[in-house]
Amino acid sequence: MIIPYVASLSAEFIKMVPNDLKEGAYSLGATRAEVIRKIIFPVAGSGMFSSYVLAMGRALGETMTVTMLIGNTNNIPDSIQSTGNSMASIIANQFGEADDLRLSSLIAIGLVLFLITALINMIGKMMIKRARIV
C-alpha cells in the first residue's frame, strides 16, 4: 500500500536531478556508484524522505485495509502482535449505531485523525518544497 506510492514519487525525484550534475561527476572520473551515492542521493534525498512521509499520511487514512489487517477487535493490545482497532476503523464500524455521546466521541476521533493526517501532509509538502531543484 505504501511502497508503490513511495517508489513512484522517489523515481520522480531522482529524474529531477539535473543532468549537468551527473555528467559533471562522470567527466571528473566518478563511477556510477559514486554518482548515485554522492550526487543523486544528496540532491534527491529530502524528496525521497518526504515521499515516505506523504505515503504514511496516505496510509493513515486507509480504513478497511487496516481494519482487516489488525484484527478488528475492541481490546487494548497487550503486545505489538496482538489484535486491535485503528481510529478510522472504529469510526467506520460504529458510526451507524452511535447515539449522542458515542456520536460525539466518534466525531472527536475523526477530528484527531484529521489533525494527525493534516500535520503529516504539511510536513511532507514542506519537505517537497525544500527539495525542489532549480
Side-chain angles (χ1 to χ4, degrees):
M1 177 165 65
I2 293 173
I3 293 173
Y5 195 67
V6 169
S8 67
L9 281 175
S10 295
E12 289 300 318
F13 281 114
I14 290 171
K15 288 178 188 175
M16 288 173 55
V17 175
N19 282 334
D20 295 342
L21 288 175
K22 293 186 276 189
E23 290 173 4
Y26 284 130
S27 68
L28 292 172
T31 64
R32 185 172 187 211
E34 290 172 332
V35 170
I36 291 171
R37 190 175 64 245
K38 295 184 179 181
I39 304 295
I40 293 176
F41 280 158
V43 173
S46 63
M48 293 168 65
F49 179 75
S50 65
S51 68
Y52 280 98
V53 172
L54 287 174
M56 289 301 294
R58 184 175 178 198
L60 277 175
E62 293 291 330
T63 303
M64 296 318 293
T65 305
V66 174
T67 301
M68 297 304 155
L69 183 68
I70 63 175
N72 196 23
T73 59
N74 289 328
N75 298 329
I76 297 175
D78 297 337
S79 69
I80 196 161
Q81 295 177 341
S82 59
T83 60
N85 254 341
S86 69
M87 292 165 57
S89 66
I90 290 172
I91 294 170
N93 288 335
Q94 297 181 6
F95 199 78
E97 58 202 34
D99 50 357
D100 296 331
L101 184 60
R102 186 179 253 175
L103 184 62
S104 298
S105 300
L106 293 175
I107 290 173
I109 291 172
L111 178 64
V112 170
L113 182 61
F114 171 74
L115 292 174
I116 291 170
T117 305
L119 180 69
I120 288 174
N121 284 333
M122 282 189 337
I123 291 169
K125 286 185 186 259
M126 286 189 317
M127 294 178 83
I128 286 176
K129 278 185 183 178
R130 249 185 72 209
R132 289 221 172 121
I133 301 168
V134 179

PDB file of all heavy atoms in Angstrom, residues 67-97:
ATOM      1  N   THR A  67      -8.248  -2.146   8.927  1.00  0.00           N
ATOM      2  CA  THR A  67      -9.184  -2.870   9.788  1.00  0.00           C
ATOM      3  C   THR A  67      -9.009  -4.376   9.641  1.00  0.00           C
ATOM      4  O   THR A  67      -8.962  -5.107  10.636  1.00  0.00           O
ATOM      5  CB  THR A  67     -10.632  -2.469   9.450  1.00  0.00           C
ATOM      6  OG1 THR A  67     -10.766  -1.069   9.642  1.00  0.00           O
ATOM      7  CG2 THR A  67     -11.622  -3.194  10.321  1.00  0.00           C
ATOM      8  N   MET A  68      -8.934  -4.846   8.421  1.00  0.00           N
ATOM      9  CA  MET A  68      -8.780  -6.282   8.202  1.00  0.00           C
ATOM     10  C   MET A  68      -7.392  -6.762   8.610  1.00  0.00           C
ATOM     11  O   MET A  68      -7.228  -7.890   9.074  1.00  0.00           O
ATOM     12  CB  MET A  68      -9.022  -6.625   6.732  1.00  0.00           C
ATOM     13  CG  MET A  68     -10.419  -6.328   6.273  1.00  0.00           C
ATOM     14  SD  MET A  68     -11.614  -7.188   7.309  1.00  0.00           S
ATOM     15  CE  MET A  68     -13.027  -6.174   7.118  1.00  0.00           C
ATOM     16  N   LEU A  69      -6.402  -5.907   8.468  1.00  0.00           N
ATOM     17  CA  LEU A  69      -5.037  -6.314   8.773  1.00  0.00           C
ATOM     18  C   LEU A  69      -4.789  -6.453  10.274  1.00  0.00           C
ATOM     19  O   LEU A  69      -4.116  -7.380  10.716  1.00  0.00           O
ATOM     20  CB  LEU A  69      -4.055  -5.301   8.174  1.00  0.00           C
ATOM     21  CG  LEU A  69      -2.585  -5.608   8.347  1.00  0.00           C
ATOM     22  CD1 LEU A  69      -2.216  -6.833   7.533  1.00  0.00           C
ATOM     23  CD2 LEU A  69      -1.758  -4.424   7.928  1.00  0.00           C
ATOM     24  N   ILE A  70      -5.351  -5.562  11.095  1.00  0.00           N
ATOM     25  CA  ILE A  70      -5.020  -5.580  12.519  1.00  0.00           C
ATOM     26  C   ILE A  70      -6.010  -6.355  13.372  1.00  0.00           C
ATOM     27  O   ILE A  70      -5.865  -6.407  14.579  1.00  0.00           O
ATOM     28  CB  ILE A  70      -4.838  -4.163  13.081  1.00  0.00           C
ATOM     29  CG1 ILE A  70      -6.117  -3.353  12.987  1.00  0.00           C
ATOM     30  CG2 ILE A  70      -3.701  -3.454  12.417  1.00  0.00           C
ATOM     31  CD1 ILE A  70      -6.021  -1.997  13.644  1.00  0.00           C
ATOM     32  N   GLY A  71      -7.027  -6.919  12.794  1.00  0.00           N
ATOM     33  CA  GLY A  71      -7.861  -7.853  13.523  1.00  0.00           C
ATOM     34  C   GLY A  71      -9.237  -7.372  13.920  1.00  0.00           C
ATOM     35  O   GLY A  71     -10.107  -8.165  14.232  1.00  0.00           O
ATOM     36  N   ASN A  72      -9.480  -6.067  13.963  1.00  0.00           N
ATOM     37  CA  ASN A  72     -10.815  -5.518  14.199  1.00  0.00           C
ATOM     38  C   ASN A  72     -11.424  -5.999  15.520  1.00  0.00           C
ATOM     39  O   ASN A  72     -12.543  -6.469  15.575  1.00  0.00           O
ATOM     40  CB  ASN A  72     -11.727  -5.842  13.015  1.00  0.00           C
ATOM     41  CG  ASN A  72     -12.970  -5.002  12.999  1.00  0.00           C
ATOM     42  OD1 ASN A  72     -13.003  -3.924  13.574  1.00  0.00           O
ATOM     43  ND2 ASN A  72     -14.003  -5.499  12.354  1.00  0.00           N
ATOM     44  N   THR A  73     -10.682  -5.883  16.605  1.00  0.00           N
ATOM     45  CA  THR A  73     -11.212  -6.212  17.931  1.00  0.00           C
ATOM     46  C   THR A  73     -11.135  -4.986  18.822  1.00  0.00           C
ATOM     47  O   THR A  73     -10.224  -4.174  18.692  1.00  0.00           O
ATOM     48  CB  THR A  73     -10.417  -7.354  18.598  1.00  0.00           C
ATOM     49  OG1 THR A  73      -9.052  -6.956  18.722  1.00  0.00           O
ATOM     50  CG2 THR A  73     -10.520  -8.637  17.807  1.00  0.00           C
ATOM     51  N   ASN A  74     -12.091  -4.872  19.730  1.00  0.00           N
ATOM     52  CA  ASN A  74     -12.144  -3.715  20.617  1.00  0.00           C
ATOM     53  C   ASN A  74     -11.408  -3.973  21.926  1.00  0.00           C
ATOM     54  O   ASN A  74     -11.887  -3.640  22.996  1.00  0.00           O
ATOM     55  CB  ASN A  74     -13.601  -3.330  20.897  1.00  0.00           C
ATOM     56  CG  ASN A  74     -14.257  -2.735  19.687  1.00  0.00           C
ATOM     57  OD1 ASN A  74     -13.618  -2.078  18.889  1.00  0.00           O
ATOM     58  ND2 ASN A  74     -15.542  -2.972  19.536  1.00  0.00           N
ATOM     59  N   ASN A  75     -10.257  -4.558  21.862  1.00  0.00           N
ATOM     60  CA  ASN A  75      -9.429  -4.825  23.034  1.00  0.00           C
ATOM     61  C   ASN A  75      -8.215  -3.917  22.999  1.00  0.00           C
ATOM     62  O   ASN A  75      -7.717  -3.561  21.930  1.00  0.00           O
ATOM     63  CB  ASN A  75      -8.952  -6.281  23.054  1.00  0.00           C
ATOM     64  CG  ASN A  75     -10.105  -7.249  23.129  1.00  0.00           C
ATOM     65  OD1 ASN A  75     -11.148  -6.950  23.702  1.00  0.00           O
ATOM     66  ND2 ASN A  75      -9.914  -8.424  22.541  1.00  0.00           N
ATOM     67  N   ILE A  76      -7.714  -3.575  24.167  1.00  0.00           N
ATOM     68  CA  ILE A  76      -6.458  -2.847  24.231  1.00  0.00           C
ATOM     69  C   ILE A  76      -5.340  -3.858  23.988  1.00  0.00           C
ATOM     70  O   ILE A  76      -5.248  -4.863  24.700  1.00  0.00           O
ATOM     71  CB  ILE A  76      -6.290  -2.148  25.597  1.00  0.00           C
ATOM     72  CG1 ILE A  76      -7.394  -1.116  25.782  1.00  0.00           C
ATOM     73  CG2 ILE A  76      -4.910  -1.512  25.715  1.00  0.00           C
ATOM     74  CD1 ILE A  76      -7.404  -0.444  27.127  1.00  0.00           C
ATOM     75  N   PRO A  77      -4.486  -3.611  23.005  1.00  0.00           N
ATOM     76  CA  PRO A  77      -3.445  -4.591  22.665  1.00  0.00           C
ATOM     77  C   PRO A  77      -2.452  -4.795  23.806  1.00  0.00           C
ATOM     78  O   PRO A  77      -2.033  -3.847  24.461  1.00  0.00           O
ATOM     79  CB  PRO A  77      -2.754  -3.976  21.453  1.00  0.00           C
ATOM     80  CG  PRO A  77      -3.668  -2.925  20.942  1.00  0.00           C
ATOM     81  CD  PRO A  77      -4.495  -2.470  22.084  1.00  0.00           C
ATOM     82  N   ASP A  78      -2.086  -6.063  24.038  1.00  0.00           N
ATOM     83  CA  ASP A  78      -1.102  -6.396  25.056  1.00  0.00           C
ATOM     84  C   ASP A  78       0.318  -6.283  24.516  1.00  0.00           C
ATOM     85  O   ASP A  78       1.242  -5.966  25.246  1.00  0.00           O
ATOM     86  CB  ASP A  78      -1.311  -7.825  25.558  1.00  0.00           C
ATOM     87  CG  ASP A  78      -2.657  -7.990  26.236  1.00  0.00           C
ATOM     88  OD1 ASP A  78      -3.211  -6.971  26.704  1.00  0.00           O
ATOM     89  OD2 ASP A  78      -3.141  -9.135  26.292  1.00  0.00           O
ATOM     90  N   SER A  79       0.479  -6.579  23.244  1.00  0.00           N
ATOM     91  CA  SER A  79       1.800  -6.516  22.621  1.00  0.00           C
ATOM     92  C   SER A  79       1.636  -5.967  21.210  1.00  0.00           C
ATOM     93  O   SER A  79       0.521  -5.706  20.747  1.00  0.00           O
ATOM     94  CB  SER A  79       2.439  -7.908  22.577  1.00  0.00           C
ATOM     95  OG  SER A  79       1.748  -8.730  21.663  1.00  0.00           O
ATOM     96  N   ILE A  80       2.740  -5.833  20.523  1.00  0.00           N
ATOM     97  CA  ILE A  80       2.697  -5.286  19.169  1.00  0.00           C
ATOM     98  C   ILE A  80       2.076  -6.274  18.181  1.00  0.00           C
ATOM     99  O   ILE A  80       1.609  -5.894  17.118  1.00  0.00           O
ATOM    100  CB  ILE A  80       4.100  -4.853  18.728  1.00  0.00           C
ATOM    101  CG1 ILE A  80       4.021  -3.946  17.508  1.00  0.00           C
ATOM    102  CG2 ILE A  80       4.981  -6.052  18.431  1.00  0.00           C
ATOM    103  CD1 ILE A  80       5.232  -3.127  17.259  1.00  0.00           C
ATOM    104  N   GLN A  81       2.010  -7.554  18.545  1.00  0.00           N
ATOM    105  CA  GLN A  81       1.458  -8.565  17.653  1.00  0.00           C
ATOM    106  C   GLN A  81      -0.003  -8.892  17.942  1.00  0.00           C
ATOM    107  O   GLN A  81      -0.609  -9.655  17.210  1.00  0.00           O
ATOM    108  CB  GLN A  81       2.293  -9.830  17.724  1.00  0.00           C
ATOM    109  CG  GLN A  81       3.706  -9.628  17.215  1.00  0.00           C
ATOM    110  CD  GLN A  81       4.544 -10.873  17.359  1.00  0.00           C
ATOM    111  OE1 GLN A  81       4.223 -11.770  18.124  1.00  0.00           O
ATOM    112  NE2 GLN A  81       5.644 -10.911  16.612  1.00  0.00           N
ATOM    113  N   SER A  82      -0.574  -8.350  18.998  1.00  0.00           N
ATOM    114  CA  SER A  82      -1.970  -8.665  19.314  1.00  0.00           C
ATOM    115  C   SER A  82      -2.909  -7.798  18.472  1.00  0.00           C
ATOM    116  O   SER A  82      -2.518  -6.776  17.919  1.00  0.00           O
ATOM    117  CB  SER A  82      -2.234  -8.471  20.808  1.00  0.00           C
ATOM    118  OG  SER A  82      -1.968  -7.144  21.185  1.00  0.00           O
ATOM    119  N   THR A  83      -4.159  -8.222  18.369  1.00  0.00           N
ATOM    120  CA  THR A  83      -5.133  -7.535  17.523  1.00  0.00           C
ATOM    121  C   THR A  83      -5.677  -6.287  18.207  1.00  0.00           C
ATOM    122  O   THR A  83      -5.587  -6.122  19.418  1.00  0.00           O
ATOM    123  CB  THR A  83      -6.308  -8.472  17.190  1.00  0.00           C
ATOM    124  OG1 THR A  83      -6.927  -8.872  18.400  1.00  0.00           O
ATOM    125  CG2 THR A  83      -5.831  -9.688  16.426  1.00  0.00           C
ATOM    126  N   GLY A  84      -6.251  -5.412  17.419  1.00  0.00           N
ATOM    127  CA  GLY A  84      -6.797  -4.169  17.943  1.00  0.00           C
ATOM    128  C   GLY A  84      -7.642  -3.471  16.895  1.00  0.00           C
ATOM    129  O   GLY A  84      -8.158  -4.090  15.969  1.00  0.00           O
ATOM    130  N   ASN A  85      -7.794  -2.175  17.058  1.00  0.00           N
ATOM    131  CA  ASN A  85      -8.558  -1.339  16.137  1.00  0.00           C
ATOM    132  C   ASN A  85      -7.768  -0.076  15.839  1.00  0.00           C
ATOM    133  O   ASN A  85      -7.000   0.388  16.662  1.00  0.00           O
ATOM    134  CB  ASN A  85      -9.897  -0.934  16.772  1.00  0.00           C
ATOM    135  CG  ASN A  85     -11.067  -1.658  16.195  1.00  0.00           C
ATOM    136  OD1 ASN A  85     -10.984  -2.210  15.111  1.00  0.00           O
ATOM    137  ND2 ASN A  85     -12.158  -1.678  16.917  1.00  0.00           N
ATOM    138  N   SER A  86      -8.012   0.503  14.681  1.00  0.00           N
ATOM    139  CA  SER A  86      -7.442   1.806  14.380  1.00  0.00           C
ATOM    140  C   SER A  86      -8.526   2.861  14.559  1.00  0.00           C
ATOM    141  O   SER A  86      -9.711   2.542  14.690  1.00  0.00           O
ATOM    142  CB  SER A  86      -6.905   1.840  12.949  1.00  0.00           C
ATOM    143  OG  SER A  86      -7.972   1.780  12.036  1.00  0.00           O
ATOM    144  N   MET A  87      -8.132   4.101  14.566  1.00  0.00           N
ATOM    145  CA  MET A  87      -9.112   5.178  14.748  1.00  0.00           C
ATOM    146  C   MET A  87     -10.124   5.189  13.607  1.00  0.00           C
ATOM    147  O   MET A  87     -11.327   5.346  13.832  1.00  0.00           O
ATOM    148  CB  MET A  87      -8.370   6.522  14.842  1.00  0.00           C
ATOM    149  CG  MET A  87      -7.543   6.639  16.091  1.00  0.00           C
ATOM    150  SD  MET A  87      -6.333   7.971  16.110  1.00  0.00           S
ATOM    151  CE  MET A  87      -7.284   9.399  15.823  1.00  0.00           C
ATOM    152  N   ALA A  88      -9.639   5.023  12.388  1.00  0.00           N
ATOM    153  CA  ALA A  88     -10.542   5.039  11.237  1.00  0.00           C
ATOM    154  C   ALA A  88     -11.499   3.846  11.251  1.00  0.00           C
ATOM    155  O   ALA A  88     -12.672   3.974  10.882  1.00  0.00           O
ATOM    156  CB  ALA A  88      -9.729   5.050   9.944  1.00  0.00           C
ATOM    157  N   SER A  89     -11.029   2.694  11.693  1.00  0.00           N
ATOM    158  CA  SER A  89     -11.908   1.526  11.710  1.00  0.00           C
ATOM    159  C   SER A  89     -12.961   1.628  12.817  1.00  0.00           C
ATOM    160  O   SER A  89     -14.077   1.129  12.658  1.00  0.00           O
ATOM    161  CB  SER A  89     -11.100   0.237  11.852  1.00  0.00           C
ATOM    162  OG  SER A  89     -10.454   0.176  13.106  1.00  0.00           O
ATOM    163  N   ILE A  90     -12.629   2.269  13.930  1.00  0.00           N
ATOM    164  CA  ILE A  90     -13.641   2.491  14.970  1.00  0.00           C
ATOM    165  C   ILE A  90     -14.771   3.364  14.427  1.00  0.00           C
ATOM    166  O   ILE A  90     -15.953   3.087  14.632  1.00  0.00           O
ATOM    167  CB  ILE A  90     -13.000   3.129  16.225  1.00  0.00           C
ATOM    168  CG1 ILE A  90     -12.114   2.117  16.933  1.00  0.00           C
ATOM    169  CG2 ILE A  90     -14.063   3.651  17.172  1.00  0.00           C
ATOM    170  CD1 ILE A  90     -11.293   2.709  18.063  1.00  0.00           C
ATOM    171  N   ILE A  91     -14.409   4.407  13.708  1.00  0.00           N
ATOM    172  CA  ILE A  91     -15.428   5.288  13.126  1.00  0.00           C
ATOM    173  C   ILE A  91     -16.268   4.525  12.111  1.00  0.00           C
ATOM    174  O   ILE A  91     -17.501   4.610  12.113  1.00  0.00           O
ATOM    175  CB  ILE A  91     -14.759   6.514  12.481  1.00  0.00           C
ATOM    176  CG1 ILE A  91     -14.085   7.370  13.550  1.00  0.00           C
ATOM    177  CG2 ILE A  91     -15.785   7.343  11.712  1.00  0.00           C
ATOM    178  CD1 ILE A  91     -13.202   8.471  12.995  1.00  0.00           C
ATOM    179  N   ALA A  92     -15.607   3.762  11.242  1.00  0.00           N
ATOM    180  CA  ALA A  92     -16.346   3.037  10.202  1.00  0.00           C
ATOM    181  C   ALA A  92     -17.266   1.974  10.784  1.00  0.00           C
ATOM    182  O   ALA A  92     -18.384   1.776  10.297  1.00  0.00           O
ATOM    183  CB  ALA A  92     -15.362   2.392   9.230  1.00  0.00           C
ATOM    184  N   ASN A  93     -16.837   1.291  11.832  1.00  0.00           N
ATOM    185  CA  ASN A  93     -17.625   0.202  12.402  1.00  0.00           C
ATOM    186  C   ASN A  93     -18.770   0.672  13.280  1.00  0.00           C
ATOM    187  O   ASN A  93     -19.804   0.012  13.361  1.00  0.00           O
ATOM    188  CB  ASN A  93     -16.726  -0.740  13.216  1.00  0.00           C
ATOM    189  CG  ASN A  93     -15.827  -1.567  12.341  1.00  0.00           C
ATOM    190  OD1 ASN A  93     -16.119  -1.808  11.183  1.00  0.00           O
ATOM    191  ND2 ASN A  93     -14.709  -1.989  12.896  1.00  0.00           N
ATOM    192  N   GLN A  94     -18.627   1.793  13.969  1.00  0.00           N
ATOM    193  CA  GLN A  94     -19.604   2.167  14.984  1.00  0.00           C
ATOM    194  C   GLN A  94     -20.438   3.392  14.644  1.00  0.00           C
ATOM    195  O   GLN A  94     -21.321   3.763  15.415  1.00  0.00           O
ATOM    196  CB  GLN A  94     -18.874   2.407  16.318  1.00  0.00           C
ATOM    197  CG  GLN A  94     -18.199   1.175  16.822  1.00  0.00           C
ATOM    198  CD  GLN A  94     -17.491   1.398  18.149  1.00  0.00           C
ATOM    199  OE1 GLN A  94     -17.599   2.454  18.752  1.00  0.00           O
ATOM    200  NE2 GLN A  94     -16.775   0.381  18.601  1.00  0.00           N
ATOM    201  N   PHE A  95     -20.202   4.039  13.526  1.00  0.00           N
ATOM    202  CA  PHE A  95     -20.907   5.285  13.238  1.00  0.00           C
ATOM    203  C   PHE A  95     -22.403   5.072  13.002  1.00  0.00           C
ATOM    204  O   PHE A  95     -23.220   5.900  13.387  1.00  0.00           O
ATOM    205  CB  PHE A  95     -20.281   5.990  12.026  1.00  0.00           C
ATOM    206  CG  PHE A  95     -20.636   7.437  11.937  1.00  0.00           C
ATOM    207  CD1 PHE A  95     -20.002   8.356  12.733  1.00  0.00           C
ATOM    208  CD2 PHE A  95     -21.606   7.884  11.058  1.00  0.00           C
ATOM    209  CE1 PHE A  95     -20.311   9.699  12.664  1.00  0.00           C
ATOM    210  CE2 PHE A  95     -21.936   9.217  10.982  1.00  0.00           C
ATOM    211  CZ  PHE A  95     -21.283  10.132  11.787  1.00  0.00           C
ATOM    212  N   GLY A  96     -22.787   3.968  12.393  1.00  0.00           N
ATOM    213  CA  GLY A  96     -24.191   3.727  12.066  1.00  0.00           C
ATOM    214  C   GLY A  96     -25.088   3.551  13.280  1.00  0.00           C
ATOM    215  O   GLY A  96     -26.259   3.930  13.251  1.00  0.00           O
ATOM    216  N   GLU A  97     -24.578   3.013  14.361  1.00  0.00           N
ATOM    217  CA  GLU A  97     -25.396   2.744  15.541  1.00  0.00           C
ATOM    218  C   GLU A  97     -25.077   3.676  16.707  1.00  0.00           C
ATOM    219  O   GLU A  97     -25.448   3.411  17.838  1.00  0.00           O
ATOM    220  CB  GLU A  97     -25.197   1.296  15.978  1.00  0.00           C
ATOM    221  CG  GLU A  97     -23.751   0.969  16.274  1.00  0.00           C
ATOM    222  CD  GLU A  97     -23.459  -0.509  16.175  1.00  0.00           C
ATOM    223  OE1 GLU A  97     -24.061  -1.186  15.334  1.00  0.00           O
ATOM    224  OE2 GLU A  97     -22.626  -0.971  16.954  1.00  0.00           O
TER     225      GLU A  97
END
